[in-house]
Amino acid sequence: VSQSRYPPACHKNDNAHVEQRNDTMVRKYLGYERLEFRELTPLLNFYYVKIVCTLQNHFIPSFKLAEKLRIKSRTRRVYRAPMTPYDRLIASPHLSPTQKLKLKMEHDAIDTVHLSKQEYRTRKLIDQALRALKAGEGIPPHTPCYKLWNAVI
């Protein structure tokens, strides 16, 4: 029985495609630095769940593919008008009116000015904590990583 390094479905050059997908959101918000410290996990989770996902889902429109047309050897892609994921859900017939009302209340409760300030502060905390960890100092006790849920919000 011979064993190879890769499973049958994987190919040697798959990393480029994985990295391409990572580039869509992670690299955009956090840059290209290596985040290898476990102490950053609660701060990064908060940043993604409470800030980045809220921004992406409620305020940043994106295109969705409507159809692909094959014309001889070329493929022409036709996209729908850009909409935010929130707008797509509100326009969807698959949600009940109560679900749409809940989403609308959640959307109306978001303060964009506060959210952008919170994004800036949290990003600054991540950078400070990363610099301290790389220098071997550990996260300083006065850093809100320890009291994350109360300090950042």
Side-chain angles (χ1 to χ4, degrees):
V1 176
S2 65
Q3 286 189 340
S4 66
R5 189 171 154 198
Y6 301 101
C10 294
H11 301 285
K12 283 181 163 180
N13 62 353
D14 278 352
N15 269 349
H17 303 291
V18 171
E19 189 63 32
Q20 180 182 8
R21 290 298 302 154
N22 284 343
D23 195 29
T24 56
M25 225 164 91
V26 177
R27 302 283 185 222
K28 179 180 175 184
Y29 286 98
L30 288 173
Y32 285 88
E33 281 196 72
R34 186 177 174 102
L35 306 170
E36 59 189 343
F37 300 100
R38 289 186 181 188
E39 294 88 349
L40 291 174
T41 304
L43 192 57
L44 292 172
N45 287 342
F46 172 80
Y47 185 66
Y48 283 127
V49 171
K50 299 291 185 181
I51 297 171
V52 173
C53 288
T54 304
L55 282 171
Q56 287 284 337
N57 291 328
H58 288 272
F59 301 108
I60 299 176
S62 60
F63 287 100
K64 286 293 175 187
L65 186 66
E67 62 180 315
K68 279 184 174 181
L69 301 172
R70 182 90 173 157
I71 303 169
K72 294 185 181 177
S73 64
R74 294 180 183 246
T75 304
R76 181 172 180 256
R77 292 173 181 88
V78 179
Y79 294 93
R80 294 190 183 110
M83 296 174 74
T84 64
Y86 164 76
D87 291 333
R88 277 193 200 94
L89 280 174
I90 293 298
S92 170
H94 302 293
L95 288 181
S96 68
T98 53
Q99 289 173 318
K100 288 182 182 183
L101 181 64
K102 184 180 174 185
L103 272 174
K104 182 158 176 41
M105 288 172 50
E106 182 183 314
H107 181 74
D108 292 341
I110 298 170
D111 180 11
T112 55
V113 174
H114 176 71
L115 188 64
S116 66
K117 287 180 182 177
Q118 192 176 21
E119 194 268 335
Y120 176 76
R121 283 193 317 238
T122 309
R123 180 61 211 185
K124 198 171 176 181
L125 283 174
I126 291 169
D127 290 341
Q128 289 172 351
L130 185 61
R131 264 188 258 117
L133 287 167
K134 280 186 175 181
E137 301 166 6
I139 297 177
H142 64 278
T143 304
C145 290
Y146 296 107
K147 301 173 187 175
L148 176 67
W149 298 105
N150 297 324
V152 177
I153 299 172

